[in-house]
Amino acid sequence: MEASVEVMVVEDDATVLAVVTDYLRGRGYGVTGVADGRAARDLLRTARPDVLVLDRMLPGVSGDDLCRQVRASAPLTSIIMLTALGAVEDRIDGLEHGADDYLAKPFVLRELRLRIDAVVRRSRNARVAPTPFELGPFRVDPASRRIWLGGTEMTLTTREYELFVFLLRNPDRTLTRDDILREVWGWSFGQTSTVTVHVRRLREKIEPEPRYPRYLLTEWGQGYRFTVEDAA
């Protein structure tokens, strides 16, 4: 991965912070290490890292609160939660706060690097500017990474944008969670609950009534299908 990738690591364990920052710097990343949530929040008022590696349990400002704040102010920053809370419920909770990925402690440094590379690659690939297109009430401008619903611009995180564009480019096709995990996240394996959480978040933004979706439908036992025909 190119040296232009900027990573901010927010971790209150001094040993973990030193090991992670030294490892990433040694492989060409630009790295800022921060030991508490309040200091990270202050830095992020002006800094815009490509990736934020964020511990959930932090002094000053919690990782969850920081994640929500970054999502509101810097939606193009990818967030990887790095935490000792590794249960499925904790992973889903972290994703609900807006994280793009989740890595539980103890972890392998190489896996962290690969996950950083994956979120950066997906983000940069999505910024390649093919022709704008429309589907039903949705209009997409890939050059600016913007999507409008009925003339109103939508507010989407990086991962929500990538997921939605993938769905828009595959209308009326049933996609399994593994399909989505592979094509949107770039993972050949992983927790499919990640997809479930992001689908739920996306529905809250595109559906008039998320409990009774018109566009993003669940095909029980199979996966999801995006359609504008059924909605009409």
Side-chain angles (χ1 to χ4, degrees):
M1 186 60 64
E2 305 93 36
S4 60
V5 174
E6 293 295 326
V7 181
M8 181 180 291
V9 181
V10 188
E11 168 62 64
D12 65 329
D13 185 312
T15 300
V16 174
L17 182 61
V19 169
V20 171
T21 55
D22 287 349
Y23 175 82
L24 293 176
R25 284 183 185 131
R27 281 149 186 81
Y29 299 81
V31 185
T32 301
V34 188
D36 69 82
R38 186 172 289 110
R41 181 191 60 190
D42 293 343
L43 282 173
L44 286 164
R45 290 192 175 111
T46 55
R48 287 292 181 265
D50 298 295
V51 182
L52 180 63
V53 178
L54 180 63
D55 189 13
R56 284 189 71 183
M57 296 183 291
L58 293 167
V61 177
S62 74
D64 290 344
D65 287 342
L66 192 59
C67 184
R68 286 192 294 266
Q69 292 171 22
V70 171
R71 272 290 157 259
S73 62
L76 296 183
T77 294
S78 298
I79 300 175
I80 299 176
M81 287 283 198
L82 184 65
T83 175
L85 301 173
V88 172
E89 294 79 7
D90 295 316
R91 184 181 300 108
I92 291 174
D93 192 40
L95 294 170
E96 289 279 18
H97 290 303
D100 297 289
D101 201 352
Y102 196 112
L103 188 59
K105 300 175 183 176
F107 61 94
V108 177
L109 288 169
R110 183 170 179 268
E111 182 179 4
L112 173 61
R113 178 174 62 83
L114 290 173
R115 288 178 182 250
I116 290 171
D117 289 353
V119 296
V120 171
R121 183 168 55 250
R122 301 300 298 184
S123 179
R124 289 183 173 179
N125 287 346
R127 295 178 195 183
V128 175
T131 306
F133 66 95
E134 296 184 10
L135 185 66
F138 302 100
R139 181 165 61 90
V140 183
D141 180 4
S144 62
R145 294 175 59 83
R146 300 163 73 189
I147 301 178
W148 291 262
L149 169 56
T152 301
E153 185 175 353
M154 303 176 64
T155 301
L156 300 170
T157 67
T158 298
R159 192 66 75 188
E160 288 166 355
Y161 171 86
E162 292 166 357
L163 172 59
F164 196 21
V165 168
F166 178 61
L167 294 169
L168 287 165
R169 292 190 182 280
N170 292 275
D172 298 305
R173 175 185 169 193
T174 298
L175 302 164
T176 69
R177 290 173 178 82
D178 287 334
D179 290 334
I180 296 171
L181 202 61
R182 181 177 59 253
E183 297 299 327
V184 178
W185 273 260
W187 301 349
S188 58
F189 63 91
Q191 290 288 337
T192 55
S193 59
T194 299
V195 175
T196 305
V197 171
H198 280 79
V199 165
R200 182 164 66 244
R201 283 166 41 189
L202 187 57
R203 277 177 173 155
E204 291 172 355
K205 298 184 177 183
I206 69 173
E207 299 286 358
E209 176 48 72
R211 292 178 299 173
Y212 306 102
R214 299 165 54 189
Y215 302 111
L216 183 43
L217 310 179
T218 298
E219 299 290 348
W220 296 106
Q222 300 180 65
Y224 301 102
R225 178 171 61 89
F226 183 83
T227 183
V228 294
E229 296 298 328
D230 293 354

